[in-house]
Amino acid sequence: MFEMKAASFAVNGRQLLQPTDLRFEQGQVYGLIGHNGSGKSTLLKLLARQQPMSGGEILFDDKPLSDWGNRDFARQVAYLPQHLPSAENLTGRELVEMGRYPWRGLLGRMREEDHRQVEKAIELTHTEPFADRLVDTLSGGERGRVWLAMLLAQESRFILLDEPLAALDVAHQMEVLTLVKQLSRQLNLGVIIVIHDINMASRFCDQLVALHTGRLLIHGEPSRIMTSETLQDIYGIPMEVMRHPAHAHSIAII
């Protein structure tokens, strides 16, 4: 479990994240929503130890993040940044194998357990057809699934995703989010995802965390967030909310 206690972040005197109290638990998909510059990526980077806090505290399993060793933390928490690292000349399987780094080290040989976890991750994400293809030749949706397989091979309990849908078309967004939610249930994964599409967030996330100008505005189940008044507070524009005709979740209409 992650627990934020008045955690904040400032740079050059500018407060990008106000003191924030939040809890994130396994087996749930959390969507971080809000306008650009609201603090979503900043909050995620604090959880991922990608930048130091300016104040407050973040605990993982009741232990301050600063007390975790790098490899021990990576065995618990996997992070995928908004701008993906280069995978030039790597096949899908070779990329997934990189997820075993926290367990075998940079130069350690792949053991039987490492191979087993790699094959399991490939099977769970249905990426067998891409395992022997160069990652750079795959479509956006295919690449997204291979990167997700790499995170699963890491055997972490939490996966942090910073705008993984930004470069995907609607069909591939649906594909990736459906898989993320399925894996969260199947593996008891905690997933925290920065997401811009409020309707995708409403459909696929168990909990929404809304930020505005670096301040936590509201958090809870999508049914609590998906009201015209709350969405206007979050995004600053009027929206109508209605029930999806084929599903139980609410959708927003501009």
Side-chain angles (χ1 to χ4, degrees):
M1 179 184 70
F2 274 108
E3 186 171 9
M4 302 179 68
K5 297 183 175 181
S8 64
F9 181 74
V11 59
N12 296 327
R14 183 185 172 202
Q15 196 81 21
L16 299 184
L17 186 69
Q18 301 289 337
T20 301
D21 297 307
L22 278 171
R23 291 162 61 99
F24 300 96
E25 300 183 355
Q26 282 182 248
Q28 296 278 295
V29 179
Y30 296 87
L32 304 184
I33 62 173
H35 59 79
N36 288 339
S38 61
K40 303 183 300 296
S41 292
T42 297
L43 190 156
L44 198 73
K45 287 177 182 176
L46 292 183
L47 295 176
R49 303 204 320 175
Q50 296 298 302
Q51 56 194 24
M53 287 172 289
S54 301
E57 186 176 40
I58 299 179
L59 307 176
F60 184 76
D61 282 354
D62 298 320
K63 181 177 174 179
L65 292 192
S66 57
D67 290 352
W68 285 87
N70 289 336
R71 285 179 63 182
D72 285 341
F73 186 71
R75 291 177 178 182
Q76 305 296 327
V77 180
Y79 168 68
L80 197 63
Q82 180 178 352
H83 302 292
L84 296 177
S86 172
E88 188 176 1
N89 297 325
L90 287 178
T91 66
R93 179 173 280 104
E94 288 169 338
L95 179 60
V96 178
E97 287 176 354
M98 292 179 65
R100 297 304 296 166
Y101 164 72
W103 300 92
R104 64 183 177 90
L106 185 61
L107 302 177
R109 292 184 177 180
M110 290 283 288
R111 302 162 301 170
E112 181 179 346
E113 175 63 13
D114 296 314
H115 286 294
R116 192 179 74 82
Q117 291 299 332
V118 166
E119 295 307 317
K120 178 182 175 182
I122 290 173
E123 180 181 351
L124 285 168
T125 53
H126 312 294
T127 48
E128 294 94 340
F130 320 132
D132 298 318
R133 290 176 56 186
L134 290 175
V135 174
D136 287 346
T137 68
L138 301 177
S139 71
E142 293 166 348
R143 279 199 304 273
R145 285 162 58 189
V146 172
W147 279 101
L148 185 57
M150 187 204 72
L151 300 184
L152 293 180
Q154 199 168 320
E155 283 189 272
S156 301
R157 293 156 51 205
F158 273 83
I159 291 180
L160 314 182
L161 305 170
D162 194 351
E163 295 192 51
L165 310 177
L168 304 184
D169 59 32
V170 173
H172 286 133
Q173 290 181 28
M174 292 279 292
E175 177 184 341
V176 170
L177 286 174
T178 299
L179 182 59
V180 164
K181 187 158 188 176
Q182 173 190 331
L183 293 171
S184 173
R185 298 292 188 268
Q186 187 174 347
L187 304 176
N188 194 32
L189 283 174
V191 180
I192 308 173
I193 179 171
V194 174
I195 185 168
H196 280 288
D197 189 319
I198 185 60
N199 291 324
M200 291 287 190
S202 172
R203 179 168 180 174
F204 290 101
C205 296
D206 301 300
Q207 301 281 328
L208 299 180
V209 176
L211 299 167
H212 191 282
T213 58
R215 178 173 58 88
L216 176 62
L217 191 64
I218 188 172
H219 63 95
E221 295 182 358
S223 58
R224 182 184 177 204
I225 311 298
M226 294 294 288
T227 69
S228 298
E229 295 79 7
T230 300
L231 292 178
Q232 180 153 2
D233 289 341
I234 297 170
Y235 295 104
I237 57 174
M239 297 186 188
E240 296 296 326
V241 176
M242 62 174 288
R243 185 73 62 182
H244 191 286
H247 303 280
H249 68 282
S250 298
I251 58 175
I253 302 171
I254 299 177

